[in-house]
Amino acid sequence: MSKERVLEILSYTYGRLKEQLSEVFENNYNDIEEIRIRSKRPVIIKTSSGNTELLDKDLKPIVMSQSEIDKLFDNICENSRYAYMNEICNGYVTINGGHRVGIAGRAVCENGVIHNFTDINSLNIRIASERKGASDAAMKYVLDGNEIKSTLIFAPPMVGKTTVLRDIARQISDFGFKVGITDDRGEIAGMYRGSPQNDIGRFTDVIENAPKSEAIIMLIRCMSPDVIVTDEISTMKECEAVLSAVGTGVKVIGTTHGSNIREVTERPVIKPLIKSGEFSQLLELKRCKNELSIIPHSISVSMFDC
Amino acid sequence: MIRFVLAMIVILGFGYLGILYSSGFKARVLMLEELKAMLSALEFNITFMNLPLYEAVLAASKNRSERVKRFLENTAFRMKHRTGEEETENIWRSALLESEDLLQLKKEDIEIILEFSKNLGKGDKESEINNIHSAISRIEQNHNEALNFFRDNSKLYRSIGLAIGVFVAIILI
């Protein structure tokens, strides 16, 4: 991740938060994972080594008031909330640099559907973590000679599934495969105003902000991809869309939450994918002392016969 | 002969002053029409193009008269380069103050724009549309008043100009 991209965050901040963050970025830009800003509580910086409070010049924790958070959120939305309403309703906003700002507050619902968020009292600025080469270890399982194998990657949250997935997309795209990415939360490509902020490869098309199940079908119909890359398969609709993709001969590389192979293969959403015989391997992602490792699991359909 | 030429010059001069004065009323009518068109363009840029505010304002400046264009470009520039805490309303206020002479609007017209800028960018598309429509309907009211005033008074001021010219010419001759 380049320093310039991390520094983009500063253009949304102001006052003491901006001053102190710029100091932190200057010294430690590569190790910051999250900046958590909560109303009337200290600002927290999360790095690979843990959480620390952001301190002001007098070494006191910086505490943001509700009105300061409101103003900060207005800046994050470029003072144009209407332009980000789809993202706001999904609980995040993607900013320049591909960083994602998660929000928490009071949801305004109508017939069970979220229409807006008001009284936003928590912001989680999640620094985009583009790490080229993060998928090097996974590539030998994904790429079989000149063929792509449909693959599921699983790990608990915050291990780096999306980082690996993005790098796989980049590598297979640069290898010459047409890649279609469904990026419903803007995390893979980090799209900002139509431009990917992350390197996702030369032959990659992205549908952002659309439900994954619909985006997969749209990509197959319109962009004729060789491979579809999709993050966090978690609903039956998404599972069905993935099945229809593999049914048309398109390979799918996806991720899902899970801490062990048994848990993942027993999930009703994943079972049909494995039963289809298309996903013959699952890659388990582990993180130890900031190092990612891949554990391959071979799966056979017969496992489910009994 | 010289007297006749001088008299004609005086009459035409005052007549021209009358036309010049009455054209001031027309300038406001035209400017209000421009503002209405600008707000419609802004609505399109917000609802259909989904552009953030500064880009929506900049895009709305295209195809406008030079004066409105300059005002909108200035507003968009200030919005883009605002300091963290600056409110949208204050940006419009200072841009309007800077362009007051340029725009030839009355206080009540400026009030509409300021009122409109208060809620700009704070809600969803529906509330932005309501805000724009409310400003357009208030501008329409002012436009109708300005148009009636122009129709009623422009002939009067032109005639007064000519009459004063004739009067001065008679006295001088």
Side-chain angles (χ1 to χ4, degrees), chain A:
Chain A
M1 170 67 53
S2 75
K3 191 175 180 180
E4 287 71 30
R5 271 183 72 182
V6 177
L7 292 179
E8 289 288 354
I9 293 167
L10 294 177
S11 63
Y12 298 91
T13 59
Y14 62 96
R16 59 206 168 113
L17 181 68
K18 185 174 189 165
E19 278 171 32
Q20 297 312 309
L21 275 183
S22 50
E23 256 183 50
V24 172
F25 286 165
E26 201 58 48
N27 304 324
N28 203 15
Y29 76 94
N30 219 9
D31 193 30
I32 300 168
E33 293 173 358
E34 288 179 355
I35 302 159
R36 288 190 170 263
I37 301 164
R38 299 180 177 98
S39 174
K40 294 174 186 170
R41 280 159 287 174
V43 176
I44 302 289
I45 307 280
K46 184 176 182 288
T47 61
S48 57
S49 52
N51 295 322
T52 49
E53 290 179 346
L54 183 67
L55 305 175
D56 64 13
K57 281 175 186 166
D58 304 324
L59 301 178
K60 285 179 187 161
I62 291 181
V63 176
M64 299 279 280
S65 68
Q66 183 58 47
S67 62
E68 284 176 310
I69 289 181
D70 276 341
K71 189 70 207 120
L72 182 60
F73 187 62
D74 274 340
N75 289 352
I76 284 164
C77 298
E78 299 183 285
N79 293 278
S80 317
R81 288 199 188 196
Y82 60 86
Y84 292 91
M85 206 43 88
N86 278 351
E87 291 179 321
I88 290 171
C89 292
N90 284 319
Y92 69 91
V93 172
T94 305
I95 59 173
N96 197 4
H99 314 292
R100 208 173 70 154
V101 182
I103 56 178
R106 193 160 60 89
V108 181
C109 295
E110 212 178 286
N111 301 325
V113 179
I114 297 173
H115 282 269
N116 192 11
F117 263 99
T118 59
D119 301 332
I120 290 164
N121 51 55
S122 287
L123 299 172
N124 176 18
I125 306 174
R126 205 169 164 184
I127 314 288
S129 57
E130 183 186 24
R131 290 181 212 282
K132 286 187 182 173
S135 70
D136 287 353
M139 282 308 288
K140 62 179 171 191
Y141 304 107
V142 173
L143 200 59
D144 185 12
N146 280 335
E147 296 243 316
I148 297 285
K149 281 162 104 178
S150 288
T151 306
L152 267 182
I153 300 164
F154 71 92
M158 293 296 293
V159 170
K161 293 186 292 293
T162 309
T163 308
V164 170
L165 189 68
R166 181 189 304 122
D167 200 53
I168 290 175
R170 177 184 67 84
Q171 295 212 38
I172 58 178
S173 175
D174 286 344
F175 197 78
F177 290 100
K178 287 181 284 174
V179 177
I181 294 180
T182 66
D183 203 6
D184 60 334
R185 293 185 303 171
E187 279 191 304
I188 307 176
M191 298 295 273
Y192 176 74
R193 317 280 298 281
S195 305
Q197 303 293 298
N198 297 317
D199 185 354
I200 47 170
R202 286 179 299 154
F203 298 106
T204 303
D205 306 301
V206 183
I207 291 185
E208 59 163 334
N209 266 342
K212 280 190 279 275
S213 51
E214 284 169 41
I216 288 171
I217 304 299
M218 282 163 76
L219 279 168
I220 296 169
R221 279 188 193 150
C222 314
M223 305 309 288
S224 66
D226 301 316
V227 186
I228 284 178
V229 168
T230 183
D231 207 5
E232 290 179 19
I233 300 165
S234 53
T235 66
M236 281 315 287
K237 254 183 139 181
E238 289 160 11
C239 165
E240 283 161 16
V242 169
L243 283 175
S244 41
V246 293
T248 59
V250 176
K251 303 294 176 187
V252 175
I253 298 169
T255 68
T256 190
H257 284 303
S259 34
N260 60 63
I261 183 73
R262 192 181 171 83
E263 181 197 318
V264 173
T265 50
E266 282 181 2
R267 279 176 58 199
V269 174
I270 303 300
K271 244 181 188 175
L273 300 180
I274 296 166
K275 269 186 165 180
S276 73
E278 273 295 327
F279 290 86
S280 56
Q281 62 176 359
L282 268 75
L283 300 181
E284 186 179 356
L285 204 61
K286 287 213 164 176
R287 193 181 198 183
C288 186
K289 289 180 184 170
N290 219 16
E291 288 292 318
L292 286 171
S293 59
I294 304 279
I295 302 166
H297 296 274
S298 291
I299 304 288
S300 68
V301 185
S302 59
M303 280 172 70
F304 297 94
D305 287 347
C306 51

Side-chain angles (χ1 to χ4, degrees), chain A residues 77-80 82-83, chain B residues 42 46 51-59 76 79 82 88 92 116-117 120-122 128:
Chain A
C77 298
E78 299 183 285
N79 293 278
S80 317
Y82 60 86
Chain B
L42 201 58
I46 285 174
L51 295 175
L53 216 44
Y54 70 88
E55 279 190 27
V57 171
L58 191 65
M79 282 169 132
R82 73 171 84 197
T88 303
W92 280 75
F116 153 78
S117 70
L120 207 52
K122 295 216 162 76
E128 295 300 332

